[in-house]
Amino acid sequence: MKRKLVWLFDLDNTLHDAGHAIFPAINRNMNALIARVLEAEAKPSHAEAVNEMRVAYWQRYGATLLGMMRHHAIRSEDFLRDAHEFSDLSQMIRAECGTAYLLRRLPGHKILLTNAPAGYSRDVVRHLGLHKHFADHVPIESMVVHRQLRPKPSPWLLRRLLASRGLTPGRCVLVEDSLENLKSARALGIRTVWLTGYTRGTRHRPAFVDVKVKSLNHLARQRRKLGAG
Ligand SMILES: [Mg+2]
């Protein structure tokens, strides 16, 4: 009997369009927080300095949060709470039509694997009616390996995820918009789907991407390429 696939789903810009309103709001929140930190350190805190720092940490560590923790002794729970404060989250969520139906067309166990915090990611999947499809939810708070926060694309995180659930990498498929995350998963033998619709990724399919699709709808139609029902 063929063993079923295990789907690892990213959340932001994979299951919904975070670029529409949520990411701009998160960036504004992070900028306000960084400005407060710079002011407290008596450093220049004008918009340009703040933006530069946010982007620099994101590029260097893969997450602004990690830079803020390392260089400014910010507690992750404070940062995540402030960054994900929205006046009306449900009004800000945009997603492909019929996302729940499309997930149902991908048979197998599904794990939500997101660098976003638990409360926010739970609210988004609930709003989209997707929570029933995910047997497992790995938010950033759970991405601690050897007492260090190790969000995607950390190979430590992925190895621990596989080991703790007894998963063989070849049975797993990571569905993501981020090429860095897909590359790191592929290096461990996890199969990879690059979803480009929300980020308008126009690049040619790199060798570490098994399947490139615009939308979940296209993925549902191409699922046999991955050996899924
Ligand atoms: Mg994403």
Side-chain angles (χ1 to χ4, degrees):
M1 195 185 91
K2 226 159 78 175
R3 297 184 78 187
K4 279 203 170 161
L5 292 177
V6 176
W7 299 90
L8 311 172
F9 269 94
D10 173 48
L11 175 67
D12 291 326
N13 282 340
T14 295
L15 292 174
H16 73 113
D17 183 4
H20 163 66
I22 293 173
F23 276 179
I26 290 176
N27 285 343
R28 281 196 298 276
N29 290 343
M30 281 194 204
N31 283 353
L33 186 146
I34 294 169
R36 287 198 302 273
V37 168
L38 287 173
E39 266 166 45
E41 292 174 358
K43 289 179 186 150
S45 61
H46 52 81
E48 206 178 309
V50 164
N51 252 321
E52 203 175 287
M53 180 177 275
R54 180 169 52 78
V55 173
Y57 288 158
W58 183 71
Q59 285 173 344
R60 184 161 164 200
Y61 299 108
T64 307
L65 166 64
L66 296 183
M68 294 303 287
M69 288 169 71
R70 180 171 299 208
H71 299 285
H72 308 275
I74 295 291
R75 292 177 353 138
S76 62
E77 50 271 44
D78 295 337
F79 181 94
L80 292 168
R81 187 198 53 237
D82 288 6
H84 291 81
E85 192 158 319
F86 307 106
S87 49
D88 190 353
L89 179 61
S90 60
Q91 290 293 314
M92 300 164 83
I93 301 172
R94 290 280 153 92
E96 193 180 337
C97 261
T99 306
Y101 165 75
L102 294 169
L103 284 186
R104 223 178 304 136
R105 291 182 57 199
L106 301 171
H109 189 76
K110 295 184 188 75
I111 300 175
L112 186 66
L113 181 67
T114 171
N115 282 3
Y120 158 79
S121 42
R122 197 182 44 233
D123 289 349
V124 174
V125 290
R126 279 201 163 268
H127 179 83
L128 295 170
L130 306 179
H131 50 290
K132 297 182 290 291
H133 296 279
F134 290 100
D136 204 346
H137 177 187
V138 183
I140 193 163
E141 293 91 334
S142 307
M143 296 177 171
V144 177
V145 185
H146 299 132
R147 278 185 278 164
Q148 293 271 344
L149 194 59
R150 302 278 190 197
K152 292 182 287 182
S154 164
W156 286 281
L157 164 76
L158 295 172
R159 268 192 233 109
R160 212 248 338 236
L161 178 78
L162 297 173
S164 65
R165 286 155 179 85
L167 303 172
T168 37
R171 266 180 71 207
C172 299
V173 183
L174 177 64
V175 185
E176 264 277 355
D177 63 294
S178 150
L179 283 175
E180 283 87 330
N181 296 349
L182 291 168
K183 190 175 186 181
S184 146
R186 196 69 185 81
L188 297 175
I190 294 171
R191 290 192 274 164
T192 51
V193 173
W194 185 25
L195 202 138
T196 61
Y198 293 129
T199 50
R200 292 157 263 304
T202 50
R203 221 183 109 177
H204 197 70
R205 179 176 66 88
F208 56 84
V209 168
D210 293 314
V211 178
K212 177 187 172 191
V213 287
K214 262 207 192 117
S215 63
L216 285 178
N217 195 346
H218 287 105
L219 175 59
R221 282 195 253 141
Q222 294 191 40
R223 65 191 184 275
R224 284 188 185 84
K225 279 192 188 169
L226 294 152

